[in-house]
Amino acid sequence: MAQYIFLTLALLTVITALLMVFSKNPVHSVLYLILTFFAIAGQYVLLNAQFLAVVHIIVYAGAIMVLFLFVLMLLNLNEDSEPQKSSRWKIGAGITSGLLLVTLVGALKGSIQLQVPESSNPSVGLVENLGKVLFTDFVVPFEIAGILFLAAMVGAVMVGKRDLKV
Amino acid sequence: MLETIRIIPIEHYVLYSTLLFVIGIFGVLTRRNAIVVLMCIELMLNAVNLLLAAFSTYLSDAQGQIMVFFIMVVAAAEAAVGLGILVMIYRNTKSTDISLLDKLRH
């Protein structure tokens, strides 16, 4: 059962990602990327990483992609006005990424020797366990992440101001 | 033990996220709209996140999932600042075409 769910979600992710790259209209790209993110959230559920699945949907589909959609509509880019790169450039990009794929697959295939522990803990991705780890071992990085958010917020407001008097 | 990690070998997750990462790189190389380029970067970050979560579950070690959480934090900050810069670029050039932004080359 699990492998069918995995294959379905993987196919859905790859197809929507390809549609995202190839669709001419940027708004369609955003919508396909949201579908991709939902399929990836399904993969997290399959891995029993429920905290990550929920956070992924809230952060990506709820915040980041809505921000992207707002900017697209604010700039009025929702018609097919995007100039295309030349076909020679596209062929070059295809060859480059294909070579990267072949290299990565060739390097990684068969080289993974993972010792899966016999008594694996299935509740490792639940909120209780992750919260304990996050607020004991990783409490300093967590606070630094808060400062990073503050800096990003101030930076975004400063960059977006129309006439900045320094 | 979780049914998933008994049935699906970790190689499948590795190949899957490699494919997603390469699709992201292809998008960055071919698209000219800067917003779509930022979206492709988000896709690449997600491929890495998925692989970290898979390894974390297979080894039943929570640190990988904490790392995914921090990558999400950085991705959100990056999207906010990047879109702010893009809006500013659009105000000055009336376009989000990245091939207009090659002033450093001349």
Side-chain angles (χ1 to χ4, degrees), chain A residues 16 28 37 39 51 67 70 78 88 99 107 109 113 128 131 157:
Chain A
T16 48
H28 291 174
F37 284 161
F51 172 73
L67 198 62
F70 269 7
N78 48 357
R88 196 202 274 170
L99 281 177
K109 200 165 170 47
Q113 289 157 351
E128 186 188 357
V157 172

Side-chain angles (χ1 to χ4, degrees), chain A residues 23-41:
Chain A
S23 67
K24 298 263 192 297
N25 191 332
V27 175
H28 291 174
S29 287
V30 173
L31 296 178
Y32 284 130
L33 192 59
I34 291 174
L35 270 182
T36 314
F37 284 161
F38 272 108
I40 290 177

Side-chain angles (χ1 to χ4, degrees), chain A residues 3 23 27 29-30 48 59 89 101 104 112 128 131-132 135:
Chain A
Q3 72 247 48
S23 67
V27 175
S29 287
V30 173
N48 213 16
V59 170
W89 183 279
L101 179 67
L104 282 178
I112 301 153
E128 186 188 357
K132 270 182 195 150
F135 285 108

Side-chain angles (χ1 to χ4, degrees), chain A residues 124-146:
Chain A
V124 72
L126 302 190
V127 181
E128 186 188 357
N129 187 25
L130 278 184
K132 270 182 195 150
V133 178
L134 191 61
F135 285 108
T136 52
D137 298 343
F138 288 89
V139 67
V140 178
F142 183 73
E143 297 294 333
I144 292 174

